[in-house]
């Protein structure tokens, strides 16, 4: 039976990951966090002391490592890795590599009902024919407050003004890049996630109810 594909795109710290986790649990889907795949590559490059400006060095590391698990880890969630992943996400060959991984993951045999994939270009580039496309929208100040709290909860040092600046910078990098910039995908439903999470879930459940 054909598996359902739901895409969730949106800017950094918009809550798309939390929504994707909810959908996976509630509807028995596999969750693919594409940002995590970029973060894993960024961490690997940093660990190997690769010069991110030298595409040849980045390519060499990618060729040798093409098996990235979906396992999350708190040490991938800091701003240093976030910044580096935003830089490597501009490179065409890195994007192709990550996109291929995502498609392979959705071709695996599973008894789950489908896949929920979150990122920046999932509904616009990687899964253009998805059954449902969502775009999560939240004002940068609200996102910065949430990210700040998340980092403090993880035991990291965080200054709100710095986080807000980082978020705005990352938005800019994600929106103006030539390869797969962050856009509202064609046919996507825009979900305002700046109020309570429960309100967001009501909208999401309603939309999923129409395709399942
Ligand atoms: O969602 P995140 O913060 O974990 O993503 C980390 C970085 O990866 C983000 O700055 C941009 C990039 N990314 C991307 O370009 N395309 C995706 N589909 C997912 C993430």
């Amino acid at each position: 039976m054909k598996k359902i594909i739901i895409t969730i795109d949106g800017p950094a710290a918009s809550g798309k990951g939390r929504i994707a986790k909810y959908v996976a649990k509630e509807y028995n889907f596999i969750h693919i966090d594409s940002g995590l795949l970029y973060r894993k590559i960024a961490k690997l490059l940093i660990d190997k002391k690769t010069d991110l400006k030298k595409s040849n060095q980045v390519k060499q590391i990618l060729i040798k490592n093409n098996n990235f698990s979906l396992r999350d880890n708190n040490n991938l969630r800091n701003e240093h890795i976030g910044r580096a992943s935003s830089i490597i996400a501009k490179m065409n060959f890195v994007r192709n590599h990550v996109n291929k991984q995502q498609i392979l993951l959705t071709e695996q045999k599973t008894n789950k009902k489908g896949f929920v994939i979150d990122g920046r270009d999932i509904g616009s580039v990687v899964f253009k024919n998805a059954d449902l496309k969502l775009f999560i929208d939240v004002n940068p100040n609200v996102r910065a407050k949430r990210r700040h709290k998340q980092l403090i909860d993880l035991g990291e040092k965080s200054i709100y003004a710095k986080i807000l600046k980082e978020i705005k910078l990352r938005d800019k990098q994600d929106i103006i890049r030539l390869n797969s910039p962050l856009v509202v995908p064609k046919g996507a439903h825009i979900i305002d996630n700046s109020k309570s999470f429960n309100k967001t879930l009501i909208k999401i459940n309603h939309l999923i109810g129409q395709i399942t």
Side-chain angles (χ1 to χ4, degrees):
M1 215 174 81
K2 193 184 162 284
K3 302 289 176 190
I4 296 171
I5 302 265
I6 298 179
T7 65
I8 307 184
D9 289 295
S14 56
K16 56 190 186 309
R18 189 175 174 202
I19 296 170
K21 281 195 182 83
Y22 164 83
V23 171
K25 196 157 177 252
E26 188 69 18
Y27 294 93
N28 195 26
F29 280 31
I30 289 178
H31 173 208
I32 302 174
D33 175 351
S34 63
L36 188 71
L37 300 175
Y38 286 98
R39 282 174 184 267
K40 287 195 171 183
I41 294 175
K43 167 112 182 26
L44 187 70
L45 294 169
I46 290 169
D47 289 349
K48 300 233 179 238
K49 304 201 184 336
T50 316
D51 183 346
L52 299 184
K53 288 191 199 97
K54 299 208 168 119
S55 57
N56 262 350
Q57 282 190 21
V58 177
K59 273 183 192 159
Q60 286 307 315
I61 305 277
L62 275 194
I63 291 165
K64 286 190 214 136
N65 294 277
N66 59 3
N67 188 13
F68 292 93
S69 81
L70 290 173
R71 197 166 306 143
D72 202 350
N73 193 327
N74 277 348
N75 71 7
L76 296 166
R77 297 278 165 202
N78 60 56
E79 289 307 301
H80 179 49
I81 304 272
R83 225 173 5 247
S85 38
S86 198
I87 293 170
I88 60 157
K90 284 190 226 158
M91 301 172 183
N92 214 0
F93 61 91
V94 173
R95 302 206 72 83
N96 289 340
H97 184 80
V98 173
N99 293 353
K100 217 189 286 166
Q101 301 274 330
Q102 294 177 72
I103 290 165
L104 284 174
L105 286 166
T106 59
E107 286 170 351
Q108 67 183 294
K109 276 216 169 88
T110 170
N111 52 12
K112 300 267 182 177
K113 274 194 175 164
F115 297 87
V116 54
I117 309 113
D118 72 284
R120 306 288 194 289
D121 61 341
I122 310 303
S124 56
V125 176
V126 193
F127 297 100
K128 281 188 188 157
N129 298 321
D131 301 278
L132 177 65
K133 299 182 188 181
L134 306 173
F135 185 88
I136 313 302
D137 198 21
V138 183
N139 157 320
N141 297 298
V142 176
R143 285 189 276 136
K145 264 188 214 150
R146 288 179 182 169
R147 180 72 98 194
H148 175 61
K149 184 176 178 303
Q150 208 177 39
L151 291 172
I152 298 285
D153 290 347
L154 285 173
E156 289 209 27
K157 282 191 200 129
S158 173
I159 300 164
Y160 170 76
K162 203 167 156 234
I163 297 290
L164 180 61
K165 205 171 145 200
E166 293 270 359
I167 280 194
K168 286 187 174 167
L169 178 71
R170 209 122 76 73
D171 281 358
K172 198 170 153 200
Q173 276 179 343
D174 292 342
I175 290 167
I176 64 167
R177 69 169 177 236
L178 293 176
N179 294 325
S180 310
L182 174 68
V183 290
V184 178
K186 205 166 160 216
H189 298 266
I190 299 177
I191 306 286
D192 175 13
N193 186 33
S194 46
K195 310 241 164 52
S196 85
F197 195 57
N198 277 347
K199 281 198 177 133
T200 299
L201 294 188
I202 291 170
K203 291 179 221 161
I204 306 262
N205 286 330
H206 174 71
L207 290 168
I208 297 181
Q210 295 177 338
I211 59 151
T212 50

